[in-house]
Amino acid sequence: MNRIQTTGMELFYQNGYYNTSIDDILKALSLSKGAFYYHFQSKEEFFISISQTLLFRKVYIDLIAPIEGKEDPLNTILECLDNNLQIAENNFLDYGFILGNFITEFNGKNPEIMSYLQDILTVWEVNLVTILQKGKTDGYISRHIDSESLVSFIISSYMGIRTIMVESKNKRLRYNYIQQLRQYFKTMDLRTVV
Amino acid sequence: MNRIQTTGMELFYQNGYYNTSIDDILKALSLSKGAFYYHFQSKEEFFISISQTLLFRKVYIDLIAPIEGKEDPLNTILECLDNNLQIAENNFLDYGFILGNFITEFNGKNPEIMSYLQDILTVWEVNLVTILQKGKTDGYISRHIDSESLVSFIISSYMGIRTIMVESKNKRLRYNYIQQLRQYFKTMDLRTVV
DNA sequence: AGGGTAACAGACTTATAAGTCTGTTTACCA
DNA sequence: TGGTAAACAGACTTATAAGTCTGTTACCCT
């Protein structure tokens, strides 16, 4: 059952939800229809179960855990995003930011699934806002900064750069992006962004 | 034939390429299979024809033409992006940045279509770089700015904010985004970003 | 050991997709 | 006005999708 979810998420990520059939997933696992529909009611319910477990976990591990409870928010965020971009860069077959891809795919088509995806995004957002607010009280960040705005900006730019990096062979894309973000962060940092 | 392309682009935009059937398009137009396959060889060739005409034209009209040949690059870009975000915001049924959506959808699935989409993105990119370079010689922008990096950053953030704005009801998202971008631009402007 | 249930196999149904093909309409021009 | 070709109609084929259903295996507990 866990293997089905794992393979399902991989294939959905690679080929998209609508372009991946249950048979594709089962073929990759040498399983039968019976096995699948014993564990899951439908393709939709299957995807939702993946969202709430594997997808959420992945976003948490990759983007939330590395910044949780850390000091020096701006540098921490920079480092976290850079790590993720490096992994994507080194992965020959990268398909972009998985959460962003699904949001794009389900937008306007499946409100229920969209709400689950939006929830995950919100958790990330809230965590970023939290660490930034703490950074203010800890004297890392200028108090006149609007954390919500900054977080929207960070998330937007990260989603975008992941989309762009996918097909572009430009090896400086990651470096340039981080440089720009760092430059921007400097304007709101009370200490020094390294 | 032009109506077929127009309706095709609309439906592909709304529902995605793989999730839109030829029959869907023909039903919307009260046309038959014969009409479609008289004009187009296949669904793929149909989409490519749309990319090279309507899609390219849309990106050009919305994002390139408004900045072409203008003075004061940073403010011009800000205004252009803000306009597009306003239109998206006021459009009750917005489905995100159409070019970005297709790039996400075709990534890793159809290299040929991807290359056409990438071409459109490149045209936009080149135009942005050009106007920024001109802005340097005209004394609008600090010379130590790397135009390519800045352009990647602008495009990334725009693609991302469009994705996020789609399902979020937050009405300040656009305003905040533009504010952040303006703030960032101030650090590289030799005059005053209004 | 054997009974019972969880876990799975795989043929089957129904719907919908892309693309084909034959026949019909429409428009235009001599 | 009649003939010709462009433009279109729509039934048909083939493939593939999601989901169903009946039968079979594997395992666990007493």
Side-chain angles (χ1 to χ4, degrees), chain A residues 45-57:
Chain A
E45 188 263 341
F46 173 58
F47 184 85
I48 292 173
S49 80
I50 290 178
S51 303
Q52 294 179 319
T53 57
L54 298 183
L55 182 59
F56 175 78
R57 198 177 305 161

Side-chain angles (χ1 to χ4, degrees), chain A residues 4 10 24 28 35 41 44 50 65 72-73 84 97 102 110 117-118 121 130-131 140-141 171 175 184 189:
Chain A
I4 301 179
E10 279 172 15
D24 290 338
Q41 288 176 22
E44 183 175 345
I50 290 178
D72 194 0
N84 278 277
F97 180 36
F102 286 142
N110 194 315
L117 300 175
Q118 187 71 43
L121 196 62
T130 303
I131 191 182
Y140 283 95
I141 305 172
K171 269 296 177 188
Y175 178 77
Y184 178 44
D189 199 321

Side-chain angles (χ1 to χ4, degrees), chain A residues 65-123:
Chain A
I67 64 167
E68 230 171 9
K70 292 272 180 64
E71 299 283 316
D72 194 0
L74 296 180
N75 280 315
T76 303
I77 290 171
L78 271 178
E79 193 186 344
C80 172
L81 297 184
D82 196 20
N83 275 338
N84 278 277
L85 291 183
Q86 276 190 49
I87 292 168
E89 196 177 65
N90 295 331
N91 186 1
F92 180 67
L93 284 180
D94 179 62
Y95 296 92
F97 180 36
I98 183 166
L99 180 59
N101 289 3
F102 286 142
I103 288 176
T104 300
E105 184 169 12
F106 286 110
N107 167 40
K109 290 163 217 165
N110 194 315
E112 190 188 354
I113 290 182
M114 271 304 284
S115 77
Y116 289 109
L117 300 175
Q118 187 71 43
D119 286 348
I120 300 177
L121 196 62
T122 301
V123 173

Side-chain angles (χ1 to χ4, degrees), chain A residues 18 104-111 114, chain B residues 12-17 19 95 105:
Chain A
Y18 292 108
T104 300
E105 184 169 12
F106 286 110
N107 167 40
K109 290 163 217 165
N110 194 315
M114 271 304 284
Chain B
F12 285 147
Y13 173 48
Q14 288 171 26
N15 310 318
Y17 174 83
N19 202 32
Y95 296 92
E105 183 169 12

Side-chain angles (χ1 to χ4, degrees), chain B residues 40-177:
Chain B
F40 306 100
Q41 289 177 20
S42 67
K43 188 183 179 185
E44 183 175 347
E45 188 264 339
F46 173 59
F47 185 85
I48 292 173
S49 80
I50 290 177
S51 302
Q52 295 179 317
T53 56
L54 298 183
L55 183 59
F56 175 77
R57 198 177 306 161
K58 178 155 183 57
V59 172
Y60 184 81
I61 292 174
D62 290 348
L63 295 165
I64 298 176
I67 63 168
E68 231 172 7
K70 291 272 180 65
E71 298 283 316
D72 195 357
L74 296 179
N75 280 316
T76 302
I77 290 170
L78 270 178
E79 193 186 344
C80 172
L81 296 184
D82 196 21
N83 275 338
N84 278 277
L85 292 183
Q86 276 192 48
I87 292 169
E89 195 178 68
N90 294 331
N91 187 1
F92 180 67
L93 283 181
D94 179 63
Y95 296 92
F97 180 36
I98 183 166
L99 180 60
N101 289 3
F102 287 141
I103 287 176
T104 301
E105 183 169 12
F106 287 110
N107 167 40
K109 290 162 217 165
N110 194 314
E112 191 188 354
I113 291 182
M114 272 303 284
S115 78
Y116 288 110
L117 300 175
Q118 187 71 43
D119 285 348
I120 300 177
L121 196 63
T122 301
V123 173
W124 184 26
E125 194 184 338
V126 167
N127 270 273
L128 283 169
V129 169
T130 302
I131 190 181
L132 287 179
Q133 293 290 12
K134 186 169 176 301
K136 282 186 189 174
T137 65
D138 292 350
Y140 283 95
I141 305 171
S142 167
R143 287 206 167 271
H144 73 271
I145 295 295
D146 178 24
S147 300
E148 274 87 6
S149 297
L150 180 53
V151 166
S152 300
F153 198 69
I154 293 171
I155 291 178
S156 296
S157 65
Y158 179 74
M159 288 183 69
I161 194 70
R162 284 302 308 275
T163 304
I164 290 176
M165 274 178 63
V166 164
E167 197 67 357
S168 173
K169 309 297 172 205
N170 190 345
K171 269 296 175 188
R172 279 191 313 224
L173 222 45
R174 172 185 65 82
Y175 178 78
N176 288 345
Y177 168 77

Side-chain angles (χ1 to χ4, degrees), chain A residues 19-52:
Chain A
N19 202 32
T20 303
S21 68
I22 304 298
D23 286 315
D24 290 338
I25 298 165
L26 295 172
K27 199 191 296 174
L29 289 164
S30 300
L31 281 176
S32 67
K33 278 276 174 74
F36 180 86
Y37 284 96
Y38 177 78
H39 291 291
F40 306 100
Q41 288 176 22
S42 67
K43 188 183 179 185
E44 183 175 345
E45 188 263 341
F46 173 58
F47 184 85
I48 292 173
S49 80
I50 290 178
S51 303
Q52 294 179 319

